[in-house]
mmCIF file with all atom_site columns, all heavy atoms in Angstrom:
data_model
loop_
_atom_site.group_PDB
_atom_site.id
_atom_site.type_symbol
_atom_site.label_atom_id
_atom_site.label_alt_id
_atom_site.label_comp_id
_atom_site.label_asym_id
_atom_site.label_entity_id
_atom_site.label_seq_id
_atom_site.pdbx_PDB_ins_code
_atom_site.Cartn_x
_atom_site.Cartn_y
_atom_site.Cartn_z
_atom_site.occupancy
_atom_site.B_iso_or_equiv
_atom_site.pdbx_formal_charge
_atom_site.auth_seq_id
_atom_site.auth_comp_id
_atom_site.auth_asym_id
_atom_site.auth_atom_id
_atom_site.pdbx_PDB_model_num
ATOM 1  N N   . VAL A 1 198 ? 17.863 3.623  -111.604 1.00 90.00 ? 776 VAL A N   1
ATOM 2  C CA  . VAL A 1 198 ? 18.177 2.916  -110.363 1.00 90.00 ? 776 VAL A CA  1
ATOM 3  C C   . VAL A 1 198 ? 18.782 1.551  -110.661 1.00 90.00 ? 776 VAL A C   1
ATOM 4  O O   . VAL A 1 198 ? 19.807 1.165  -110.080 1.00 90.00 ? 776 VAL A O   1
ATOM 5  C CB  . VAL A 1 198 ? 16.913 2.780  -109.497 1.00 90.00 ? 776 VAL A CB  1
ATOM 6  C CG1 . VAL A 1 198 ? 17.147 1.809  -108.342 1.00 90.00 ? 776 VAL A CG1 1
ATOM 7  C CG2 . VAL A 1 198 ? 16.494 4.142  -108.960 1.00 90.00 ? 776 VAL A CG2 1
ATOM 8  N N   . PHE A 1 199 ? 18.173 0.806  -111.569 1.00 92.00 ? 777 PHE A N   1
ATOM 9  C CA  . PHE A 1 199 ? 18.699 -0.518 -111.896 1.00 92.00 ? 777 PHE A CA  1
ATOM 10 C C   . PHE A 1 199 ? 20.104 -0.422 -112.492 1.00 92.00 ? 777 PHE A C   1
ATOM 11 O O   . PHE A 1 199 ? 21.008 -1.179 -112.107 1.00 92.00 ? 777 PHE A O   1
ATOM 12 C CB  . PHE A 1 199 ? 17.767 -1.232 -112.873 1.00 92.00 ? 777 PHE A CB  1
ATOM 13 C CG  . PHE A 1 199 ? 18.355 -2.496 -113.433 1.00 92.00 ? 777 PHE A CG  1
ATOM 14 C CD1 . PHE A 1 199 ? 18.399 -3.643 -112.666 1.00 92.00 ? 777 PHE A CD1 1
ATOM 15 C CD2 . PHE A 1 199 ? 18.886 -2.526 -114.712 1.00 92.00 ? 777 PHE A CD2 1
ATOM 16 C CE1 . PHE A 1 199 ? 18.972 -4.814 -113.156 1.00 92.00 ? 777 PHE A CE1 1
ATOM 17 C CE2 . PHE A 1 199 ? 19.444 -3.686 -115.220 1.00 92.00 ? 777 PHE A CE2 1
ATOM 18 C CZ  . PHE A 1 199 ? 19.485 -4.831 -114.437 1.00 92.00 ? 777 PHE A CZ  1
ATOM 19 N N   . SER A 1 200 ? 20.318 0.504  -113.422 1.00 91.00 ? 778 SER A N   1
ATOM 20 C CA  . SER A 1 200 ? 21.623 0.627  -114.077 1.00 91.00 ? 778 SER A CA  1
ATOM 21 C C   . SER A 1 200 ? 22.720 0.954  -113.074 1.00 91.00 ? 778 SER A C   1
ATOM 22 O O   . SER A 1 200 ? 23.841 0.431  -113.163 1.00 91.00 ? 778 SER A O   1
ATOM 23 C CB  . SER A 1 200 ? 21.564 1.709  -115.161 1.00 91.00 ? 778 SER A CB  1
ATOM 24 O OG  . SER A 1 200 ? 20.635 1.366  -116.171 1.00 91.00 ? 778 SER A OG  1
ATOM 25 N N   . LEU A 1 201 ? 22.413 1.816  -112.099 1.00 92.00 ? 779 LEU A N   1
ATOM 26 C CA  . LEU A 1 201 ? 23.411 2.183  -111.102 1.00 92.00 ? 779 LEU A CA  1
ATOM 27 C C   . LEU A 1 201 ? 23.654 1.049  -110.107 1.00 92.00 ? 779 LEU A C   1
ATOM 28 O O   . LEU A 1 201 ? 24.803 0.791  -109.725 1.00 92.00 ? 779 LEU A O   1
ATOM 29 C CB  . LEU A 1 201 ? 22.974 3.450  -110.369 1.00 92.00 ? 779 LEU A CB  1
ATOM 30 C CG  . LEU A 1 201 ? 22.948 4.731  -111.207 1.00 92.00 ? 779 LEU A CG  1
ATOM 31 C CD1 . LEU A 1 201 ? 22.458 5.907  -110.377 1.00 92.00 ? 779 LEU A CD1 1
ATOM 32 C CD2 . LEU A 1 201 ? 24.326 5.032  -111.792 1.00 92.00 ? 779 LEU A CD2 1
ATOM 33 N N   . LEU A 1 202 ? 22.590 0.376  -109.695 1.00 91.00 ? 780 LEU A N   1
ATOM 34 C CA  . LEU A 1 202 ? 22.771 -0.726 -108.749 1.00 91.00 ? 780 LEU A CA  1
ATOM 35 C C   . LEU A 1 202 ? 23.612 -1.851 -109.346 1.00 91.00 ? 780 LEU A C   1
ATOM 36 O O   . LEU A 1 202 ? 24.392 -2.502 -108.636 1.00 91.00 ? 780 LEU A O   1
ATOM 37 C CB  . LEU A 1 202 ? 21.413 -1.268 -108.305 1.00 91.00 ? 780 LEU A CB  1
ATOM 38 C CG  . LEU A 1 202 ? 20.590 -0.398 -107.357 1.00 91.00 ? 780 LEU A CG  1
ATOM 39 C CD1 . LEU A 1 202 ? 19.273 -1.092 -107.019 1.00 91.00 ? 780 LEU A CD1 1
ATOM 40 C CD2 . LEU A 1 202 ? 21.367 -0.090 -106.086 1.00 91.00 ? 780 LEU A CD2 1
ATOM 41 N N   . ALA A 1 203 ? 23.451 -2.097 -110.634 1.00 93.00 ? 781 ALA A N   1
ATOM 42 C CA  . ALA A 1 203 ? 24.182 -3.192 -111.281 1.00 93.00 ? 781 ALA A CA  1
ATOM 43 C C   . ALA A 1 203 ? 25.676 -2.928 -111.370 1.00 93.00 ? 781 ALA A C   1
ATOM 44 O O   . ALA A 1 203 ? 26.452 -3.850 -111.677 1.00 93.00 ? 781 ALA A O   1
ATOM 45 C CB  . ALA A 1 203 ? 23.619 -3.443 -112.681 1.00 93.00 ? 781 ALA A CB  1
ATOM 46 N N   . CYS A 1 204 ? 26.117 -1.702 -111.083 1.00 93.00 ? 782 CYS A N   1
ATOM 47 C CA  . CYS A 1 204 ? 27.539 -1.373 -111.204 1.00 93.00 ? 782 CYS A CA  1
ATOM 48 C C   . CYS A 1 204 ? 28.406 -2.237 -110.295 1.00 93.00 ? 782 CYS A C   1
ATOM 49 O O   . CYS A 1 204 ? 29.551 -2.558 -110.641 1.00 93.00 ? 782 CYS A O   1
ATOM 50 C CB  . CYS A 1 204 ? 27.761 0.106  -110.890 1.00 93.00 ? 782 CYS A CB  1
ATOM 51 S SG  . CYS A 1 204 ? 27.183 1.231  -112.185 1.00 93.00 ? 782 CYS A SG  1
ATOM 52 N N   . GLY A 1 205 ? 27.886 -2.626 -109.134 1.00 93.00 ? 783 GLY A N   1
ATOM 53 C CA  . GLY A 1 205 ? 28.662 -3.470 -108.238 1.00 93.00 ? 783 GLY A CA  1
ATOM 54 C C   . GLY A 1 205 ? 29.054 -4.789 -108.876 1.00 93.00 ? 783 GLY A C   1
ATOM 55 O O   . GLY A 1 205 ? 30.178 -5.276 -108.711 1.00 93.00 ? 783 GLY A O   1
ATOM 56 N N   . ALA A 1 206 ? 28.126 -5.372 -109.644 1.00 94.00 ? 784 ALA A N   1
ATOM 57 C CA  . ALA A 1 206 ? 28.426 -6.631 -110.320 1.00 94.00 ? 784 ALA A CA  1
ATOM 58 C C   . ALA A 1 206 ? 29.478 -6.435 -111.399 1.00 94.00 ? 784 ALA A C   1
ATOM 59 O O   . ALA A 1 206 ? 30.344 -7.294 -111.606 1.00 94.00 ? 784 ALA A O   1
ATOM 60 C CB  . ALA A 1 206 ? 27.149 -7.216 -110.923 1.00 94.00 ? 784 ALA A CB  1
ATOM 61 N N   . TRP A 1 207 ? 29.437 -5.292 -112.095 1.00 92.00 ? 785 TRP A N   1
ATOM 62 C CA  . TRP A 1 207 ? 30.403 -5.057 -113.170 1.00 92.00 ? 785 TRP A CA  1
ATOM 63 C C   . TRP A 1 207 ? 31.803 -4.793 -112.623 1.00 92.00 ? 785 TRP A C   1
ATOM 64 O O   . TRP A 1 207 ? 32.804 -5.147 -113.267 1.00 92.00 ? 785 TRP A O   1
ATOM 65 C CB  . TRP A 1 207 ? 29.940 -3.905 -114.055 1.00 92.00 ? 785 TRP A CB  1
ATOM 66 C CG  . TRP A 1 207 ? 28.768 -4.270 -114.899 1.00 92.00 ? 785 TRP A CG  1
ATOM 67 C CD1 . TRP A 1 207 ? 27.494 -3.788 -114.808 1.00 92.00 ? 785 TRP A CD1 1
ATOM 68 C CD2 . TRP A 1 207 ? 28.755 -5.232 -115.961 1.00 92.00 ? 785 TRP A CD2 1
ATOM 69 N NE1 . TRP A 1 207 ? 26.693 -4.389 -115.750 1.00 92.00 ? 785 TRP A NE1 1
ATOM 70 C CE2 . TRP A 1 207 ? 27.436 -5.273 -116.464 1.00 92.00 ? 785 TRP A CE2 1
ATOM 71 C CE3 . TRP A 1 207 ? 29.714 -6.050 -116.537 1.00 92.00 ? 785 TRP A CE3 1
ATOM 72 C CZ2 . TRP A 1 207 ? 27.067 -6.110 -117.521 1.00 92.00 ? 785 TRP A CZ2 1
ATOM 73 C CZ3 . TRP A 1 207 ? 29.352 -6.883 -117.579 1.00 92.00 ? 785 TRP A CZ3 1
ATOM 74 C CH2 . TRP A 1 207 ? 28.040 -6.905 -118.059 1.00 92.00 ? 785 TRP A CH2 1
ATOM 75 N N   . VAL A 1 208 ? 31.913 -4.163 -111.445 1.00 94.00 ? 786 VAL A N   1
ATOM 76 C CA  . VAL A 1 208 ? 33.228 -3.999 -110.818 1.00 94.00 ? 786 VAL A CA  1
ATOM 77 C C   . VAL A 1 208 ? 33.815 -5.369 -110.473 1.00 94.00 ? 786 VAL A C   1
ATOM 78 O O   . VAL A 1 208 ? 35.003 -5.630 -110.695 1.00 94.00 ? 786 VAL A O   1
ATOM 79 C CB  . VAL A 1 208 ? 33.120 -3.110 -109.569 1.00 94.00 ? 786 VAL A CB  1
ATOM 80 C CG1 . VAL A 1 208 ? 34.430 -3.126 -108.781 1.00 94.00 ? 786 VAL A CG1 1
ATOM 81 C CG2 . VAL A 1 208 ? 32.763 -1.682 -109.952 1.00 94.00 ? 786 VAL A CG2 1
ATOM 82 N N   . ALA A 1 209 ? 32.982 -6.257 -109.933 1.00 94.00 ? 787 ALA A N   1
ATOM 83 C CA  . ALA A 1 209 ? 33.437 -7.612 -109.625 1.00 94.00 ? 787 ALA A CA  1
ATOM 84 C C   . ALA A 1 209 ? 33.830 -8.358 -110.893 1.00 94.00 ? 787 ALA A C   1
ATOM 85 O O   . ALA A 1 209 ? 34.837 -9.092 -110.924 1.00 94.00 ? 787 ALA A O   1
ATOM 86 C CB  . ALA A 1 209 ? 32.344 -8.365 -108.869 1.00 94.00 ? 787 ALA A CB  1
#
Side-chain angles (χ1 to χ4, degrees):
V776 168
F777 170 77
S778 298
L779 293 178
L780 288 180
C782 287
W785 288 112
V786 170

